Amino acid sequence: MKNDLFSIGGITIHGYGLMIGIGILAAYLVSENRAKKQGLDPDHLLGIALWGVGIGLVSAKLLYYITIMDQIIRNPRLLLDIANGFVVYGGLIGGILGGYGYCKRHKLDFFRYADLILPSVALAQGFGRLGCFLAGCCYGRETGSPFAIVFRESGYAPNNIPLIPTQLISSGFNFFHFFLLLWLAKRLKRSGETGAMYLIIYSLGRFVIEFFRGDLIRGNVGALTTSQFISLFAAAAGVMLLIISRKRGEEDE
């Protein structure tokens, strides 16, 4: 639970950044291996990754700005803090749009590549939440449970208070999600179905975990947190994609 892990010369290695890097590398290697097995060109993965990560980072930051817009109005200098504050759903939406744009430009089957890559996205998210745990962000509510976690040197979570370990819960869920999608991918034969299941399962899991989060600065839409509100639409999009994929598959049979 310490973000500054160690220093090499004048360079400090941060836990959050390290876990993000490991997650991206692991996701890429898994996707490359699966692409070869499925007869897809792995050379396109780097392009999709660059477009997806690049646009995803921008959209994750923009969505974060939207959630704290009232604070930005009071203090516009917050716009200059580009290193901190990202919303996962913004990154996910931007990443999908970036991948779609790349596939469209290179005339690739977007749904096949989405089925290939999205399980690896769940893997990267698992490592990313471990980074959140090290940094102390995305923390849980105060609790009296013996399974609580207490931060001592966090710049984000309240220190010396027992909190629900939502970062570890999220990480475990994402790793489980990854393996579940790999299992489903071997059984779902129609293009787009695995991607649809990613959206449905992630949205449902995220909706539940949000009830235990304590960083309410992220904003609300009525009685729901911003992420829960988006989860409803993401799950609906997944259901629609599943229906469309199955109809397309029936027409091709």
Side-chain angles (χ1 to χ4, degrees), residues 234-251:
V239 172
M240 290 178 60
L241 177 57
L242 189 63
I243 294 172
I244 292 171
S245 297
R246 290 184 174 178
K247 285 185 176 180
R248 289 173 65 235
E250 291 172 358
E251 292 174 356

Side-chain angles (χ1 to χ4, degrees), residues 102-109:
Y102 181 91
C103 290
K104 188 75 173 179
R105 180 176 181 180
H106 293 273
K107 299 180 180 180
L108 303 175
D109 186 334

